[in-house]
Amino acid sequence: MPNRPPPTAASGRRRRADAERSIARIVAAARESLSRDPNASIDDIAKAAGVGRMTLYGHFRNRAELVEAALTDALRAGDEVLSAVDLTGDAREALTRLLDSSWALVAESTALLTAAQGTLPPGRVRKLHAAPAERVEELIRRGQEQGVFRTDLPIAWLVGVLQYVLHGAAEENRTGRLELDDTARIVTATVQSILAAPSANG
């Protein structure tokens, strides 16, 4: 058997670059596949990525790892979009801007979240959503200080309700019970009425 030349730094970098491209392709395929079908299998995702099962398992030991990677990537991409939203000034107006940018992102992550909830421990799912929840919590707290958001209910509960409304709207939209063109307006009106302080409702 002929002796192989020792690996060089350049060949090592090429292998790492190849591996990173392969991982990115698999994660992108997982996001797309799981967004269409939360029950998409390893085989489905490997086929969508254009790789074999052995290649996929070389990067992800099981479906749970792949689901987490897909959800993490979707949340990272969403955070990049939401971090650019102007949240200064009146909290109600800032909330409208945040909801306008959030709801379309949630439409994708709802199916991913369904896959994650059926695969990952609940504590892990909550941890992955910590950053988006903190952004909303900070905005609600500022609205309370401005006197435009209610203070009679816990902030954690209000954040949860907002998330339920967003995910519920995405599901209604997916099943055709809610028209796409109306979704952003309905979501914003619903959340604003839930969060509004009594004086702001009057």
Side-chain angles (χ1 to χ4, degrees):
M1 183 175 181
N3 292 327
R4 292 182 178 176
T8 64
S11 65
R13 286 194 296 271
R14 282 196 299 272
R15 282 196 296 271
R16 286 195 297 273
D18 289 344
E20 288 171 1
R21 283 193 293 270
S22 179
I23 291 170
R25 189 163 61 248
I26 292 168
V27 171
R31 281 181 60 178
E32 182 180 352
S33 298
L34 292 168
S35 294
R36 290 196 309 266
D37 177 11
N39 297 312
S41 67
I42 286 286
D43 286 339
D44 295 330
I45 294 169
K47 183 178 180 180
V51 302
R53 284 172 57 91
M54 293 303 295
T55 297
L56 189 150
Y57 278 121
H59 300 302
F60 301 96
R61 292 177 298 177
N62 50 49
R63 186 175 180 276
E65 283 192 1
L66 183 52
V67 169
E68 179 170 335
L71 181 59
T72 299
D73 191 63
L75 291 172
R76 175 199 53 75
D79 191 63
E80 289 179 0
V81 174
L82 297 181
S83 63
V85 177
D86 178 15
L87 297 182
T88 60
D90 183 275
R92 290 170 298 188
E93 296 175 0
L95 179 63
T96 294
R97 292 192 292 272
L98 184 64
L99 290 171
D100 285 344
S101 297
S102 296
W103 117 254
L105 298 171
V106 170
E108 176 194 6
S109 65
T110 293
L112 285 173
L113 181 61
T114 298
Q117 289 172 331
T119 307
L120 306 177
R124 184 59 181 160
V125 175
R126 284 195 299 271
K127 185 175 181 180
L128 291 173
H129 279 80
E134 287 175 5
R135 180 183 286 106
V136 176
E137 182 176 326
E138 182 179 337
L139 180 57
I140 292 176
R141 183 174 288 108
R142 185 155 59 82
Q144 290 177 333
E145 293 170 355
Q146 293 175 356
V148 296
F149 290 159
R150 66 193 307 156
T151 59
D152 59 326
L153 297 174
I155 288 182
W157 169 251
L158 295 175
V159 171
V161 169
L162 186 151
Q163 292 174 334
Y164 292 143
V165 170
L166 284 168
H167 288 292
E171 178 62 18
E172 291 291 294
N173 186 254
R174 186 185 67 81
T175 58
R177 291 190 293 264
L178 190 60
E179 292 295 329
L180 178 62
D181 293 342
D182 290 337
T183 305
R185 176 185 61 81
I186 291 172
V187 165
T188 298
T190 301
V191 172
Q192 290 283 15
S193 73
I194 291 171
L195 292 182
S199 59
N201 273 323

